[in-house]
């Protein structure tokens, strides 16, 4: 899926009012801006919580010996532990900001079931999740109406791009020249993988987000 299509899909999922406010509509615009910012924060939190659950559960399942048996040195598993730490930091920040904006009910984590049975399953799925994270933060930057969040999203995008590049090159030994974050070719697979991982979400989660991921694989 080309990035332009991805951004269009994100924009449709999380609509934003871009018209300049008039004096009579300034208060309504402030509310719209807050809602807009919270929508992207919640969407980003959804992905970060998914990543935390994925890395935490998978690393608990796969030992250092499992990585060695699959031909990976010890620093690969350690690197994934660092990715997990980064996802937790992102998640904690987003929970705090969403709560400050008055949407604490939207911070509850969903339940997941990841189809990880081997080290290679885990690595392939990690690459897909990081690809989706990169595209998500690119979309957030494109639509952000807050200087503060634009700066934060930029820093998070840098983290996610670094993780994605590390997985694709150092872990999977792919040629860097074949990797293009501006037009991720694996987005269809990425979205499908993310979709089948979601089993349930609390009532506080925006139903459009849950329906988006569940609908990608025809789940009810």
């Amino acid at each position: 899926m080309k990035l332009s299509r991805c951004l269009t899909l994100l924009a449709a999922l999380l609509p934003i009012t871009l018209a300049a406010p008039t004096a009579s509509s300034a208060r309504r615009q402030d509310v719209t801006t807050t809602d807009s910012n919270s929508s992207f924060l919640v969407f980003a939190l959804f992905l970060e919580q998914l990543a935390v659950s994925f890395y935490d559960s998978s690393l608990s399942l796969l030992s250092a010996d499992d990585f060695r048996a699959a031909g990976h040195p010890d620093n690969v598993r350690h690197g994934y532990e660092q990715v997990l730490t980064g996802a937790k930091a992102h998640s904690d920040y987003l929970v705090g900001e969403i709560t400050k904006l008055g949407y604490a009910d939207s911070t509850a984590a969903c339940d997941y079931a990841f189809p990880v049975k081997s080290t290679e399953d885990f690595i392939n799925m990690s690459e897909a999740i990081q690809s989706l994270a990169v595209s998500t933060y690119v979309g957030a930057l494109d639509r952000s109406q807050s200087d503060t969040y634009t700066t934060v999203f930029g820093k998070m995008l840098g983290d996610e791009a670094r993780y994605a590049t590390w997985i694709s090159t150092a872990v999977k030994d792919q040629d860097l020249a074949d990797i293009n974050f501006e037009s991720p070719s694996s987005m269809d697979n990425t979205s499908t993988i993310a979709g089948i991982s979601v089993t349930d979400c609390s009532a506080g989660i925006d139903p459009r987000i849950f329906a988006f991921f569940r609908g990608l694989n025809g789940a009810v």
Side-chain angles (χ1 to χ4, degrees):
M1 179 186 294
K2 299 298 184 181
L3 180 56
S4 59
R5 183 181 170 194
C6 177
L7 296 181
T8 299
L9 186 58
L10 290 175
L13 178 67
L14 304 173
I16 293 177
T17 301
L18 298 176
T22 62
S24 62
S25 65
R27 181 177 178 80
R28 184 170 65 252
Q29 182 66 22
D30 287 342
V31 172
T32 300
T33 299
T34 298
D35 289 343
S36 169
N37 287 330
S38 69
S39 292
F40 275 109
L41 289 170
V42 169
F43 192 87
L45 176 62
F46 181 92
L47 289 173
E48 294 291 356
Q49 288 175 332
L50 184 150
V52 168
S53 180
F54 168 69
Y55 288 118
D56 194 30
S57 62
S58 298
L59 291 175
S60 296
L61 176 69
L62 300 169
S63 68
D65 287 338
D66 291 320
F67 278 83
R68 294 186 195 111
H72 300 287
D74 290 345
N75 63 1
V76 168
R77 192 179 190 283
H78 178 64
Y80 275 115
E81 291 172 351
Q82 293 179 311
V83 174
L84 171 59
T85 298
K88 287 180 177 178
H90 289 181
S91 178
D92 290 344
Y93 170 81
L94 292 166
V95 167
E97 291 304 304
I98 293 167
T99 300
K100 286 195 296 185
L101 290 175
Y103 296 91
D105 289 345
S106 296
T107 63
C110 296
D111 296 324
Y112 310 94
F114 300 104
V116 174
K117 297 181 180 179
S118 68
T119 303
E120 293 311 306
D121 287 343
F122 165 71
I123 290 173
N124 288 333
M125 191 169 182
S126 72
E127 183 182 36
I129 288 175
Q130 292 309 138
S131 177
L132 181 58
V134 169
S135 292
T136 295
Y137 283 113
V138 169
L141 279 172
D142 183 61
R143 298 289 184 171
S144 175
Q145 297 185 30
S146 163
D147 290 342
T148 296
Y149 293 143
T150 296
T151 299
V152 172
F153 289 150
K155 291 179 179 179
M156 290 183 173
L157 172 60
D159 290 341
E160 303 298 351
R162 178 162 50 88
Y163 300 153
T165 302
W166 173 73
I167 293 169
S168 296
T169 57
V171 179
K172 299 193 69 174
D173 197 27
Q174 296 175 350
D175 190 340
L176 183 60
D178 294 333
I179 301 171
N180 184 352
F181 288 126
E182 294 183 358
S183 182
S185 61
S186 61
M187 281 301 298
D188 286 314
N189 290 334
T190 298
S191 301
T192 300
I193 290 173
I196 64 176
S197 301
V198 184
T199 59
D200 189 31
C201 285
S202 71
I205 297 296
D206 189 327
R208 293 171 299 172
I209 296 176
F210 187 42
F212 170 70
F213 282 94
R214 290 296 301 276
L216 287 169
N217 71 325
V220 178

